[in-house]
Amino acid sequence: MRSSASQRLGRARWMGLGLAAVLGSGLAIWSGGGAPSESERAPVRTPVPSASSAQVETASASRPAQAPLRIVRITATPHDVPVGGRVVLGCEVEGGSGEASARRYTWVAARGRLEQENGPTVTWVAPKSPGLHQVGVLVQDGDSQVKQTLMLHVHVPTPEDLRALMKDSDWKQAGEQALAQQAAVEAKLAALREVVARRETREDRLRAYHALGDLAALQLGEGRYEEALQSYEELLGSHLETDPKRKPFLAGKASALFALGREDEALRVYAQAGDHNLPMSHYYAGLLLEARGQLPEAIEAYGKAAEANRWFADPLLRYAELLLRQGRPAREVIDLLVTASPRFGRELLLERLATDPQFASLNQALGASGRASELEERRPIETRLPEPPRPPEPGRTAVITRE
């Protein structure tokens, strides 16, 4: 891979794509009628107590059926913003009780910051990480609820973006918030370094070991790759080569090496870390292996990346493209796209295939198969909260494990 590509990897922030822990998967395409008319919302007279049962049944039958609650669309202005940019999100809803005041809106975002979480219109501030990021909304009206998500693209700011951001009336406030967040990160880094440096007693050394792991992860997340690399190397030095506890630290080291553009070292450490690698490490390894002509190894890496990055389509598309080049039947490869389409959406997949020349063979195979219409839109999202921990059985002591 060219050095410029390595530099791009070095500048990329690690993405945590998806809202699976909060909202589940897919976009919602809901069916149902529109909002009830004024005549339909008119109250039905309640029969007087002396009315016959037939009159009561007639009055009940005359009540209009309530239209199903549905999200008509989620709007985003704009869809593509630089890091730190703002997106105005809107949710248009029909059906339900028909009373706007009865609807409750709850917005969530995998990354970035929502300036408010309630209401039909909110503002999302893009994170520092370029890439695809997901936002979602849950709308409740009485006992009815519907959910939908939207993918937004965040790019590295151009000089024009920076000039526009500087003119933003909220730029000063956003800058102050960014400085406050950075100050909090610096304070946490300093506190961890202080614990790591104190190693006088056995308890101090044990605390220092755990603090060094937290420090390395924070350094990696904040893009301090050289510092993270040093921390992971120190952690690895405290374990024997055969110790399985080394695997997560090898994964962190591989991530730092990928970001620094040290390709050969990164691939070597990536192989040692195995399945403990971070999701994006599998994708970057696939890119490097493909560039070196190691297609079977690249296919394996892309397959792991596609499974780990549930909201990132490129690993799956590269995986499918390489399978075609390796002679796998087109029918099997198209089956992969059709099966995965509810995660990404029909429009996104068709756009990526039609506009990226690297997927020309895959796009041609899809067109020749006549199965483009089988690609699905994103499926409705579901609220999936983690199960609460079970209390220990009588007579047993609860054990808290450190992950």
Side-chain angles (χ1 to χ4, degrees), residues 146-217:
V146 287
K147 319 105 180 180
Q148 191 164 324
T149 59
L150 182 69
M151 298 298 289
L152 302 171
H153 185 260
V154 178
H155 63 261
V156 176
T158 64
E160 291 76 13
D161 291 328
L162 293 175
R163 283 193 289 269
L165 288 170
M166 292 299 291
K167 295 177 183 178
D168 190 336
S169 60
D170 295 330
W171 177 258
K172 182 178 179 181
Q173 180 183 359
E176 291 173 351
Q177 292 175 341
L179 289 174
Q181 292 173 356
Q182 188 59 38
V185 170
E186 292 293 345
K188 189 172 183 179
L189 287 168
L192 288 171
R193 291 192 188 102
E194 184 178 347
V195 176
V196 170
R198 191 184 304 118
R199 306 187 184 188
E200 297 176 1
T201 66
R202 182 179 180 278
E203 289 74 15
D204 287 342
R205 290 190 290 274
L206 182 61
R207 282 192 290 268
Y209 169 81
H210 291 304
L212 185 58
D214 294 338
L215 178 63

Side-chain angles (χ1 to χ4, degrees), residues 115-149:
E115 294 192 333
Q116 71 269 13
E117 296 180 359
N118 303 309
T121 303
V122 299
T123 299
W124 178 71
V125 181
K128 295 181 290 183
S129 307
L132 290 173
H133 296 277
Q134 188 182 37
V135 297
V137 63
L138 169 68
V139 183
Q140 297 170 293
D141 186 341
D143 294 331
S144 301
Q145 65 178 27
V146 287
K147 319 105 180 180
Q148 191 164 324
T149 59

